[in-house]
Amino acid sequence: MSGPDKTQGLAGQRLLLCVGGGIAAYKALELVRRLRDGGAEVQVAMTAGAQHFVTPLSFQALSGQPTRTTLWDSAAEQAMGHIELARWADRVIVAPATADLMARLAHGLADDLVTTLCLATTAPIMLAPAMNHRMWQHPATQANLATLRARGVQVVGPNDGPLAEGESGPGRLAEPHEIVAALAGQAAAQVPQDLAGLKVVVSAGPTYEDLDPVRYLGNRSSGKMGFAVAASAARRGARVTLVAGPVQLPTPAGVDRVDVRSAAQMHAAVFAALPADIYIGAAAVADYTPREPAANKIKKSSESLALDLVRTPDILAEVAAQTQALKLVVGFAAETNNVAEYARRKLEAKRLDMIVANRVGIADGGFESDQNAMTAYWKDGERSFASAPKTRLADDLMDLIVERLDA
Ligand code: CTP
């Protein structure tokens, strides 16, 4: 079902949250949770001051990523250098932005991790200031604010109200839900709506073929790629139906989700979702299913057991064979060897417009990983995508799909 509108546009976004040293830093914890609920990937960097108020571990627990605290951490730098982190971000949020941090940003200082990241990134920056109201109203802070705004920095808050010191005035950190709404609005405005008016059906995840009431044949597909593809299409304005096999993943914002278990159910759900303009078969559909699932639990009797399996309908090939409105049919191929050859064979045999192949069975890639490398093939071309998070790959793949639609 559709996600809350307020977070629409955040799914799959890579957000770098820079936390400054103020008492409002505790609210940044809730901000991380809300951003992740909206489907964003969040990495957190903290100033030294921020660590007096909240621990890096708290952010780590909520973001699911190591919290960055210094430029001089060789282990963290080796995993992802600070320049790489600055480039990784789609957007940077500074919350709370203290008077000191705003001054340092306005003057382009790079004397700690947070200011260096803000100077090194080309991503849009959003500030959520929080400070004593006299510090906020001081001409120095207001001049810094004007400088930052003139450079395109977006500012949310501060709100007027009671402050930590017992005083009252403008200086309260904007509420996490207000920051999320501002970010989501900005995100939606940035994404090209080039799939507006189109219907996209995506299949994702594995299928489970029941052998008896307690056992099934399944596979290791995580569904992450298909979910990322559905999220990406929805962000670009498409109406998206996501037919999902059994996976525990949150529904991307703005996507209609239909949960299924078996290949037969997936087949029915996909055809019920048609007609569509684009079909993307990212599911790892079982090729075989038991001829007749046992009504009762199969008991062990002899030394070996032969299963009687029959072919499942090839959903992708059937979709590609019917012409109702479909402008583009995209398949996926997971191969352990001869990737290009097998992929091109499937492209032709199933009469697809495009096939996206990846190698499985290698370290750091494939089914359960968040990362992947892949190559898309079409009749007279191909494009390789270097190993990247699946959310990024999905956006790059969607760029290609839009290109091929227009081709
Ligand atoms: N697919 C499908 N219905 C099936 C089987 C596969 O729609 N019953 C789709 C998948 O969603 C994917 C593509 O077909 O887009 C995978 O192709 P397939 O030839 O089934 O791949 P493998 O099962 O890996 O084939 P093989 O074992 O022959 O390599």
Side-chain angles (χ1 to χ4, degrees):
M1 289 295 103
S2 299
D5 278 342
K6 264 199 212 153
T7 57
Q8 179 138 22
L10 286 183
Q13 289 269 312
R14 290 170 294 268
L15 305 179
L16 173 60
L17 173 63
C18 295
V19 184
I23 177 62
Y26 79 91
K27 284 194 187 172
L29 291 170
E30 192 192 335
L31 179 58
V32 174
R33 191 183 58 73
R34 283 178 181 260
L35 294 173
R36 293 208 62 202
D37 285 350
E41 279 181 64
V42 183
Q43 298 232 26
V44 179
M46 302 175 77
T47 64
Q51 294 165 62
H52 289 291
F53 293 95
V54 190
T55 69
L57 199 58
S58 309
F59 282 106
Q60 184 164 321
L62 289 166
S63 70
Q65 306 277 353
T67 301
R68 305 289 293 258
T69 54
T70 166
L71 279 168
W72 316 115
D73 178 340
S74 56
E77 282 293 310
Q78 204 159 23
M80 190 192 262
H82 61 275
I83 299 295
E84 222 180 314
L85 181 57
R87 281 177 48 197
W88 167 89
D90 292 323
R91 259 101 57 75
V92 177
I93 307 126
V94 184
T98 59
D100 174 66
L101 192 45
M102 284 177 63
R104 292 193 294 135
L105 293 175
H107 289 88
L109 300 194
D111 56 352
D112 69 355
L113 177 65
V114 163
T115 49
T116 302
L117 288 168
C118 289
L119 204 59
T121 191
T122 53
I125 299 180
M126 180 180 282
L127 295 187
M131 63 196 75
N132 171 274
H133 65 112
R134 286 194 200 89
M135 292 169 81
W136 172 251
Q137 283 159 337
H138 194 284
T141 303
Q142 290 300 310
N144 292 331
L145 177 68
T147 302
L148 290 164
R149 277 210 167 111
R151 281 187 209 138
V153 170
Q154 200 184 342
V155 180
V156 51
N159 291 347
D160 207 326
L163 300 168
E165 308 81 358
E167 296 182 313
S168 188
R172 283 169 65 85
L173 183 70
E175 292 302 322
H177 71 87
E178 294 170 324
I179 301 174
V180 169
L183 278 166
Q186 198 189 50
Q190 272 173 6
V191 178
Q193 297 297 292
D194 42 17
L195 292 179
L198 297 187
K199 165 104 186 258
V200 178
V201 177
V202 182
S203 73
T207 65
Y208 287 176
E209 309 302 319
D210 289 331
L211 290 166
D212 68 16
V214 295
R215 304 181 181 97
Y216 60 85
L217 294 171
N219 63 67
R220 290 168 56 182
S221 168
S222 69
K224 286 176 187 165
M225 190 67 210
F227 273 61
V229 164
S232 182
R235 276 200 303 277
R236 295 174 93 126
R239 279 181 300 126
V240 182
T241 299
L242 172 62
V243 179
V247 290
Q248 302 293 322
L249 292 174
T251 307
V255 166
D256 277 330
R257 173 175 180 172
V258 182
D259 285 312
V260 298
R261 180 174 172 85
S262 65
Q265 287 172 0
M266 185 169 277
H267 180 268
V270 164
F271 276 86
L274 296 181
D277 299 282
I278 302 173
Y279 178 73
I280 303 171
V285 187
D287 290 322
Y288 294 92
T289 191
R291 184 181 298 278
E292 196 74 61
N296 297 313
K297 189 178 165 208
I298 302 168
K299 303 300 281 180
K300 59 183 163 302
S301 48
S302 55
E303 278 309 305
S304 64
L305 172 72
L307 294 173
D308 185 10
L309 304 176
V310 293
R311 284 289 295 268
T312 55
D314 191 321
I315 305 167
L316 180 63
E318 279 189 36
V319 170
Q322 54 100 55
T323 50
Q324 277 180 325
L326 273 161
K327 297 184 174 73
L328 207 73
V329 177
V330 182
F332 274 74
E335 310 287 353
T336 54
N337 57 314
N338 293 346
V339 179
E341 187 192 329
Y342 288 141
R344 283 213 174 271
R345 231 184 259 173
K346 285 178 194 173
L347 177 73
E348 221 167 291
K350 301 197 188 199
R351 298 170 167 275
L352 309 177
D353 297 300
M354 191 193 295
I355 190 147
V356 183
N358 67 295
R359 190 189 288 270
V360 287
I362 49 167
D364 194 24
F367 278 153
E368 284 144 9
S369 170
D370 288 324
Q371 292 257 127
N372 216 346
M374 60 193 200
T375 305
Y377 301 89
W378 59 97
K379 190 164 172 283
D380 45 13
E382 64 180 73
R383 184 176 300 172
S384 292
F385 301 94
S387 185
K390 286 179 178 173
T391 48
R392 164 67 61 95
L393 282 176
D395 285 341
D396 292 346
L397 177 62
M398 210 49 72
D399 286 342
L400 178 59
I401 285 175
V402 169
E403 267 177 57
R404 297 305 306 156
L405 267 182
D406 297 338

